[in-house]
Amino acid sequence: MELPGGPEQVLGTGHVDDVVGPGTAGTGSSDDPLVIRDAATGAAVPDAFQRLWNPHRMAYIDAGREGEGRGHKDDCPFCDAPAKSDEDALIVARGEHAYVLLNLYPYNNGHLLVCPYRHIPLYDDASPDELREVGELTQTAMRVLRQVSHCDGFNIGMNQGEVAGAGVAGHLHQHIVPRWQSDSNFFPIIARTKSMSQLLGDTRRLVAEGWPTSD
């Protein structure tokens, strides 16, 4: 089947059969670096995605394959974080029953997570004290983010269970994602890429410094 303005497609596979570079049109020469072959005969099959290589994420992916940090307390990053320094764990505030830290894989600058210290998976497992403090910390986080980042809105919510998209399903955590009028631009929509304009350490410092103290 001939695609409009494009190469032949192998019916039933969704793959492009052959794409050749300049000077090799119609030859399918394997010597040309632009040749793209079908999945059945080669590894280079085009699709609609651009690639932003993030090899550091393999630690997160490999942990998920083994179940580490998903449902096991001994491998849970949210259980480990409070034992570290605020700077190392990206913690911005500590309460009595819950704490706030930056997401290591932020959707936007200032993407915060509110976690109870206790290793529980679901919202209805939380105690009244944990629910109260998670709510209070969420409110404070919103006020601080407005102050330090001048955001226009928020996405706030929880993914409950791996099937719902929870990255660390074994430990309850609430997402607070600041949003700006201009953050839904062509880059994430077309390129499927988020541009992060501030380092995590700098963001942590700004939010921590803006957090109200109990003194």
Side-chain angles (χ1 to χ4, degrees), residues 34-162:
L34 296 183
V35 169
I36 301 175
R37 302 188 178 284
D38 180 72
T41 57
V45 178
D47 59 26
F49 292 89
Q50 299 293 321
R51 268 70 180 176
L52 178 64
W53 296 104
N54 291 306
H56 61 276
R57 287 184 63 89
M58 278 308 301
Y60 181 78
I61 294 170
D62 288 341
R65 290 175 180 152
E66 301 300 325
E68 297 176 358
R70 298 282 179 136
H72 305 288
K73 184 176 181 180
D74 292 342
D75 301 308
C76 178
F78 298 141
C79 288
D80 292 341
K84 301 177 182 178
S85 69
D86 288 355
E87 291 77 9
D88 288 343
L90 298 175
I91 292 175
V92 300
R94 298 175 187 252
E96 183 180 355
H97 304 283
Y99 69 100
V100 185
L101 77 168
L102 285 178
N103 190 352
L104 188 59
Y105 308 106
Y107 181 81
N108 269 347
N109 289 313
H111 182 168
L112 298 177
L113 303 172
V114 184
C115 308
Y117 294 111
R118 197 162 60 102
H119 187 81
I120 52 173
L122 301 174
Y123 189 70
D124 55 353
D125 291 328
S127 69
D129 285 337
E130 287 167 335
L131 292 176
R132 173 186 53 78
E133 192 161 55
V134 166
E136 291 174 352
L137 290 171
T138 298
Q139 286 188 322
T140 302
M142 293 172 64
R143 295 171 184 138
V144 173
L145 286 171
R146 283 197 199 98
Q147 174 188 331
V148 302
S149 68
H150 310 289
C151 55
D152 301 311
F154 300 92
N155 289 117
I156 296 176
M158 301 179 181
N159 299 320
Q160 299 281 276
E162 287 189 38

Side-chain angles (χ1 to χ4, degrees), residues 134-207:
V134 166
E136 291 174 352
L137 290 171
T138 298
Q139 286 188 322
T140 302
M142 293 172 64
R143 295 171 184 138
V144 173
L145 286 171
R146 283 197 199 98
Q147 174 188 331
V148 302
S149 68
H150 310 289
C151 55
D152 301 311
F154 300 92
N155 289 117
I156 296 176
M158 301 179 181
N159 299 320
Q160 299 281 276
E162 287 189 38
V163 69
V168 183
H171 197 128
L172 183 67
H173 56 283
Q174 176 155 272
H175 293 261
I176 306 174
V177 183
R179 300 299 303 267
W180 292 265
Q181 294 291 344
S182 60
D183 66 13
S184 293
N185 53 38
F186 77 95
F187 208 40
I189 294 172
I190 296 176
R192 294 180 173 87
T193 302
K194 291 295 296 186
S195 175
M196 310 306 297
S197 60
Q198 194 172 55
L199 295 175
L200 287 172
D202 293 337
T203 303
R204 192 215 70 82
R205 177 180 53 79
L206 286 172
V207 177

